[in-house]
Amino acid sequence: RKEVEQDPGPFNVPEGATVAFNCTYSNSASQSFFWYRQDCRKEPKLLMSVYSSGNEDGRFTAQLNRASQYISLLIRDSKLSDSATYLCVVNPRGGKLIFGQGTELSVKP
Amino acid sequence: SAVISQKPSRDICQRGTSLTIQCQVDSQVTMMFWYRQQPGQSLTLIATANQGSEATYESGFVIDKFPISRPNLTFSTLTVSNMSPEDSSIYLCSVNEPTNYGYTFGSGTRLTVV
């Protein structure tokens, strides 16, 4: 079993749609959690950290369920510019990151 | 957030040769990380570079193949040695920023071995 698993993609959605990505992790002692965005041929960039209480940043909402070892990302009112690969990232122990395989999102006009 | 300058941005190399990738950070950081992203894959950690000590390598990566230097708190290099076409990947450095609890990446080095 992979340490971090994500929904397989690609997700093809129309502009304005709501889309949700799911992610599970295997190490129950994991300390911190992130969603990164990676555009084609670019480096990953932090989208948001994920907290147990859930957090929201504009159209983006992240949730963490430690009991189920599950992380989610919800994107509301999708824009064309949201098209990218979304990486679920877990920090199981200090300093290093474990990346999911990524979920590709394509938002169409 | 920290600004990382990574170079070269891309290179095409002959098999059997070596390439050294550099990362310069605009602030002092304790740990720097080197990742590999193979075509169509996600990122895999190669090693953690600590200033003043040898790098810590992940399973499947060895110092002879990927020697790392960390001469000070703002700079690190990764060398890909005796390259083969299987080494064709994007290589990225990263730092952890305790102030905002995030990790910042360099812009990556796209390596093609022919």
Side-chain angles (χ1 to χ4, degrees):
Chain A
R1 181 185 173 188
K2 292 182 181 178
E3 289 188 75
V4 179
E5 293 201 70
Q6 293 184 238
D7 279 349
F11 283 56
N12 297 303
V13 303
E15 267 188 295
T18 296
V19 60
F21 301 142
N22 302 315
C23 173
T24 57
Y25 60 96
S26 60
N27 187 337
S28 60
S30 295
Q31 300 173 356
S32 50
F33 311 87
F34 310 93
W35 283 101
Y36 274 75
R37 169 189 171 134
Q38 187 172 28
D39 292 279
C40 187
R41 295 178 174 269
K42 302 277 188 168
E43 74 275 20
K45 293 189 176 176
L46 179 65
L47 180 64
M48 57 199 307
S49 300
V50 188
Y51 305 115
S52 296
S53 55
N55 48 305
E56 184 174 315
D57 182 3
R59 298 182 291 109
F60 300 85
T61 301
Q63 296 276 353
L64 167 65
N65 184 321
R66 285 188 181 269
S68 303
Q69 295 178 209
Y70 171 89
I71 305 161
S72 66
L73 176 68
L74 184 75
I75 305 175
R76 292 180 298 278
D77 189 23
S78 299
K79 311 291 185 190
L80 297 177
S81 57
D82 293 333
S83 298
T85 297
Y86 290 82
L87 301 166
C88 176
V89 185
V90 174
N91 180 0
R93 43 196 177 279
K96 62 183 289 185
L97 302 178
I98 306 296
F99 285 78
Q101 72 268 35
T103 301
E104 184 181 342
L105 172 65
S106 179
V107 182
K108 306 292 188 183
Chain B
S1 61
V3 176
I4 304 175
S5 174
Q6 182 174 345
K7 53 185 177 182
S9 59
R10 60 177 62 237
D11 208 341
I12 301 174
C13 301
Q14 297 290 326
R15 66 180 67 198
T17 62
S18 298
L19 175 72
T20 295
I21 302 166
Q22 300 180 2
C23 272
Q24 178 75 52
V25 190
D26 68 346
S27 58
Q28 294 186 339
V29 292
T30 304
M31 291 191 289
M32 292 179 72
F33 306 92
W34 288 97
Y35 288 85
R36 180 174 74 181
Q37 187 172 26
Q38 294 179 300
Q41 305 292 317
S42 193
L43 283 76
T44 301
L45 182 65
I46 297 171
T48 303
N50 305 304
Q51 194 268 336
S53 63
E54 279 198 2
T56 304
Y57 289 83
E58 298 299 307
S59 175
F61 298 96
V62 295
I63 187 171
D64 289 345
K65 177 67 176 177
F66 297 102
I68 286 172
S69 79
R70 184 81 199 277
N72 56 54
L73 291 175
T74 65
F75 186 78
S76 180
T77 69
L78 169 77
T79 299
V80 186
S81 303
N82 188 25
M83 289 183 284
S84 66
E86 291 72 33
D87 294 320
S88 298
S89 286
I90 300 172
Y91 293 85
L92 300 115
C93 62
S94 175
V95 302
N96 171 227
E97 299 186 74
T99 52
N100 67 8
Y101 211 43
Y103 293 74
T104 301
F105 287 82
S107 55
T109 297
R110 186 176 297 274
L111 171 63
T112 302
V113 183
V114 296

